[in-house]
Amino acid sequence: MSIIETEVEIDIDVFSDEEFQIEESVNEAKKIIDRLVVENRWIKGDFEDDYWEVTQIQYNENFKAFDFNLLDSAAFNPSLPLFFKEMVKCWIVNLIDKYKKGATTSLILFLKGFELTKGFKVDKKITLLKFIEHSDYSNKYKVDMINSICNFFDYTDIEIADDYVPSLVQLKSKIPYESNIRQLPPSKYVLSFSYYLEKHFDKVLDEAFNEDSKYKEVFLIFPLIIWWRLTNVIPIRPTEFCLIKRDCISDEGGKYYIRLPRNKLKNTKRIQIPDKLLIDEEMYELIKLYIELTNRFGHTDTLISYRSIIHGGASNRAFVTKNLNQFKSLNLDRLIKRFYKVMETKYACQISKEYQVLPNDTRHFAFVSLMMQGYSPVEIARLGGHQTIKAQYHYSGHTEYWVDCEVFRLMKKIKNSKIVTMQTGTIPDEVKLKAYDYNNSSFKRKMKVGHCKDVEQRCESKLCYFCSHWGISTEEYIENKEKIRSDILAKKNNINELTATIRNINKQIVSDELSRRDSGLFNKVRSKSNALQSEIYKLALLCSKLGGGEVLDGEQVRWS
């Protein structure tokens, strides 16, 4: 297969939504091929063959060719897995199913990288980097080549990714190109989704215990709640979540665990990935309740009962597939899309498709959350199912959502009140503390801005309004609004600097072997993480006093 001379037509990300597991992945790839055959899209070749012909549209005479013969030269690098070709084939089948147009180009770019590096040998990495950087191809071509190779590495998590991914990602950052690859939704849209998901779940659960007819909706919303709460804490791919077994939870002397579908490693030199993780009691009870409610529908191989979803109503017949004992990524995706329609029809909150959450987004959120909380890269890799530390190199962004989420979570905790209003597509405003708690205190000591309500004047911050003892009248707030606004922006800038510092230190630890032996760097991460938590709490404290989303001239507050 020769390298293409024309402009490539893909926008594949460096992140893969899927994860390779030899038996499951091969079986799933064959099922996808069977389906494409029925749809008259798969023209020629079985999974075991090295030449395929596939078309994008039913009965279309124009086809795309997929040639895997070059992979026979995998002997150039004996360190590659014995089933390397099967890995590539499973990866490509998933791309054919997801992207349609881009799969052929992805394979061509990947095979060019494979050929240049003699099977991704470590000592040939510079050859690949020089080819990408100095070739006459367009910047889009170069970026797509990096994305295709990194996407494969993310899908397979093979050992050579340790040597290639950081260098490729660094090179990509130097290439001037405006990509069309989808970005994660802005935090306000993600928080809107989270807010209404929790609200709708509580509503239908309460109604279900009083009205049998409401049970159907419970079975459609419950899987989303489990997925959302679990995968925002533990970095899990959609396929991994869907494959969680029915008997996944256990109570061992008051400690609660969940078992994930992860492969045990024979190579003890690599990071050992635990398949049994500690969870809190709330998550345990949530999953336990779901199992009890869905046992009535009979056997299921997976935690999520597929039959219970079908029971949700005739309109959900589209969820049906051949194997009723398994819950699939496609089903999860459809449940998420269905809930956005619920948000629109029941709560008048419409979010455009480009800003809607996708199944793999929570994996990014969870990686950032662990990093910002000061977890070491080794622990993050173990929780995220990565066999190498460097595999997490390109998960270091997307801090905006985590910061916003933490501020909002702390605001709710501080105010200890229910959310009562919601602006379409924005973070919900919380109950306003009318005169900012000014009239509810008998003691008031005048300060430069506002008043101190503590007789002993136990200061918690250099700036009074980041202290829990501070209060202000409506009139004085209006007079000092610009100064408060300026100080809030300074606080936000400080938070941004801390998150950037933590990201940079983690990148250094991930990419540099010597840094991983420097205990001082780990202590610095923990120190910066503690400082970040303190700054976020102070910002949440002030914003809860000043009315949540209307602090800055009636505009929605942007924390990061």
Side-chain angles (χ1 to χ4, degrees):
M1 182 178 290
S2 62
I3 192 165
I4 56 175
E5 302 291 340
T6 58
E7 191 75 9
V8 287
E9 299 177 347
I10 59 170
D11 281 302
I12 185 175
D13 200 351
V14 295
F15 309 109
S16 172
D17 292 348
E18 310 296 329
E19 177 184 27
F20 180 82
Q21 296 187 27
I22 180 64
E23 185 175 342
E24 293 86 351
S25 296
V26 171
N27 289 337
E28 186 62 28
K30 290 181 178 179
K31 290 178 182 178
I32 293 174
I33 292 173
D34 290 341
R35 173 164 53 79
L36 295 178
V37 168
V38 173
E39 294 175 1
N40 293 295
R41 285 187 50 210
W42 195 277
I43 300 173
K44 183 177 181 179
D46 295 324
F47 180 84
E48 291 76 14
D49 297 330
D50 287 344
Y51 181 80
W52 303 341
E53 292 178 1
V54 185
T55 182
Q56 299 169 20
I57 308 171
Q58 290 182 350
Y59 304 107
N60 192 334
E61 293 181 358
N62 297 320
F63 63 84
K64 300 289 186 180
F66 296 86
D67 191 344
F68 300 94
N69 281 296
L70 182 63
L71 296 175
D72 289 333
S73 60
F76 287 143
N77 188 355
S79 65
L80 290 176
L82 295 176
F83 43 84
F84 183 79
K85 184 185 288 190
E86 284 74 17
M87 285 180 160
V88 178
K89 287 182 175 181
C90 289
W91 173 61
I92 287 298
V93 170
N94 277 288
L95 293 185
I96 291 172
D97 193 39
K98 179 178 180 180
Y99 289 99
K100 294 182 176 64
K101 292 183 179 180
T104 313
T105 305
S106 295
L107 179 60
I108 293 172
L109 295 173
F110 173 81
L111 290 178
K112 182 60 180 179
F114 178 87
E115 188 177 23
L116 285 168
T117 58
K118 305 297 182 185
F120 297 110
K121 286 186 174 180
V122 175
D123 59 358
K124 297 295 183 181
K125 180 181 70 174
I126 299 300
T127 302
L128 177 62
L129 295 175
K130 286 183 177 179
F131 170 81
I132 296 174
E133 185 172 8
H134 301 299
S135 70
D136 293 330
Y137 293 106
S138 68
N139 288 341
K140 175 170 173 52
Y141 175 94
K142 295 175 181 179
V143 169
D144 282 336
M145 188 173 191
I146 291 173
N147 287 348
S148 295
I149 294 171
C150 287
N151 187 281
F152 173 79
F153 287 154
D154 193 48
Y155 171 71
T156 58
D157 196 23
I158 57 178
E159 197 163 358
I160 54 174
D162 238 14
D163 298 292
Y164 277 86
V165 169
S167 298
L168 287 170
V169 173
Q170 284 182 340
L171 176 57
K172 178 184 172 183
S173 67
K174 300 176 184 177
I175 300 174
Y177 172 67
E178 191 170 331
S179 174
N180 292 324
I181 293 174
R182 171 189 175 272
Q183 302 295 315
L184 288 176
S187 58
K188 62 180 181 179
Y189 300 113
V190 182
L191 285 171
S192 295
F193 174 82
S194 177
Y195 165 69
Y196 281 121
L197 183 63
E198 297 286 350
K199 177 174 182 171
H200 190 63
F201 175 69
D202 291 340
K203 179 177 181 291
V204 298
L205 202 61
D206 289 340
E207 292 175 345
F209 286 109
N210 298 318
E211 304 175 48
D212 288 340
S213 60
K214 297 294 184 181
Y215 259 119
K216 291 184 178 182
E217 183 65 20
V218 169
F219 302 130
L220 296 173
I221 194 67
F222 221 130
L224 287 184
I225 280 289
I226 296 175
W227 162 73
W228 184 252
R229 293 185 185 177
L230 184 65
T231 61
N232 263 291
V233 176
I234 305 173
I236 303 175
R237 283 185 175 92
T239 49
E240 191 176 6
F241 171 77
C242 294
L243 288 172
I244 295 176
K245 298 296 183 183
R246 185 70 165 179
D247 57 347
C248 61
I249 55 172
S250 59
D251 178 355
E252 301 179 15
K255 290 186 176 181
Y256 307 99
Y257 297 90
I258 185 169
R259 191 173 294 277
L260 302 177
R262 290 175 169 173
N263 293 329
K264 290 290 186 179
L265 293 177
K266 295 180 180 179
N267 184 356
T268 57
K269 293 182 180 180
R270 304 189 74 191
I271 294 173
Q272 296 303 295
I273 302 173
D275 62 350
K276 183 179 177 181
L277 298 177
L278 189 69
I279 56 176
D280 59 27
E281 184 177 3
E282 183 179 2
M283 178 61 69
Y284 172 82
E285 293 295 339
L286 180 74
I287 296 175
K288 181 182 176 183
L289 175 60
Y290 174 76
I291 293 173
E292 291 172 352
L293 290 176
T294 54
N295 275 337
R296 58 189 281 194
F297 299 102
H299 174 75
T300 171
D301 293 333
T302 55
L303 165 63
I304 305 302
S305 169
Y306 198 19
R307 289 183 174 86
S308 71
I309 294 173
I310 298 172
H311 177 75
S315 61
N316 299 299
R317 300 302 295 177
F319 290 117
V320 178
T321 58
K322 291 181 180 179
N323 189 350
L324 301 183
N325 294 324
Q326 290 188 346
F327 179 72
K328 301 285 188 178
S329 299
L330 181 62
N331 309 131
L332 175 61
D333 183 60
R334 286 174 174 170
L335 284 176
I336 294 171
K337 290 176 180 176
R338 176 192 176 276
F339 183 69
Y340 274 105
K341 292 181 180 178
V342 171
M343 288 173 59
E344 183 177 349
T345 56
K346 291 187 178 296
Y347 301 102
C349 177
Q350 183 176 4
I351 297 178
S352 62
K353 188 176 180 180
E354 63 180 313
Y355 295 137
Q356 293 181 7
V357 173
L358 296 182
N360 203 35
D361 289 350
T362 54
R363 180 170 168 84
H364 297 254
F365 302 151
F367 269 120
V368 173
S369 176
L370 293 170
M371 186 196 309
M372 292 298 116
Q373 291 178 70
Y375 281 75
S376 74
V378 172
E379 281 304 305
I380 294 174
R382 284 166 56 83
L383 290 170
H386 281 155
Q387 299 176 25
T388 63
I389 291 179
K390 292 183 181 179
Q392 66 187 266
Y393 185 88
H394 45 271
Y395 281 96
S396 60
H398 317 302
T399 56
E400 173 202 295
Y401 167 71
W402 180 81
V403 173
D404 285 8
C405 189
E406 284 297 288
V407 171
F408 188 60
R409 179 183 63 83
L410 289 170
M411 283 173 60
K412 289 194 292 183
K413 184 177 180 180
I414 290 167
K415 294 172 109 176
N416 193 27
S417 60
K418 293 183 179 179
I419 301 172
V420 295
T421 62
M422 179 67 189
Q423 298 176 5
T424 301
T426 63
I427 304 172
D429 290 336
E430 298 201 303
V431 177
K432 305 295 185 293
L433 301 185
K434 297 304 179 184
Y436 314 115
D437 205 23
Y438 175 79
N439 295 320
N440 295 332
S441 176
S442 58
F443 176 80
K444 300 183 185 71
R445 185 192 301 275
K446 185 70 180 73
M447 309 301 290
K448 288 184 179 180
V449 177
H451 293 78
C452 178
K453 299 177 290 181
D454 182 22
V455 177
E456 299 180 22
Q457 200 169 338
R458 290 164 291 187
C459 298
E460 299 172 349
S461 173
K462 292 180 180 179
L463 292 176
C464 290
Y465 33 80
F466 291 119
C467 176
S468 61
H469 309 302
W470 178 78
I472 189 171
S473 67
T474 306
E475 294 76 18
E476 190 174 359
Y477 166 67
I478 293 173
E479 292 174 7
N480 292 274
K481 185 166 59 174
E482 288 306 314
K483 174 173 173 50
I484 295 174
R485 178 193 184 101
S486 175
D487 288 332
I488 288 176
L489 291 175
K491 183 69 64 178
K492 288 160 58 179
N493 289 335
N494 192 26
I495 288 174
N496 290 338
E497 289 176 6
L498 286 168
T499 59
T501 299
I502 295 172
R503 284 201 312 269
N504 291 334
I505 295 174
N506 269 272
K507 278 191 173 183
Q508 182 179 345
I509 294 172
V510 165
S511 59
D512 184 8
E513 184 69 34
L514 292 177
S515 297
R516 270 173 252 164
R517 304 175 189 175
D518 185 355
S519 59
L521 282 178
F522 291 105
N523 291 333
K524 189 175 182 180
V525 168
R526 285 190 287 269
S527 174
K528 295 296 181 182
S529 177
N530 290 336
L532 177 61
Q533 297 284 355
S534 176
E535 293 293 278
I536 287 175
Y537 177 80
K538 291 175 183 176
L539 183 58
L541 182 66
L542 177 61
C543 291
S544 66
K545 288 173 177 288
L546 300 183
E550 296 182 352
V551 177
L552 304 180
D553 294 340
E555 297 180 0
Q556 189 65 40
V557 170
R558 298 295 305 139
W559 322 117
S560 56

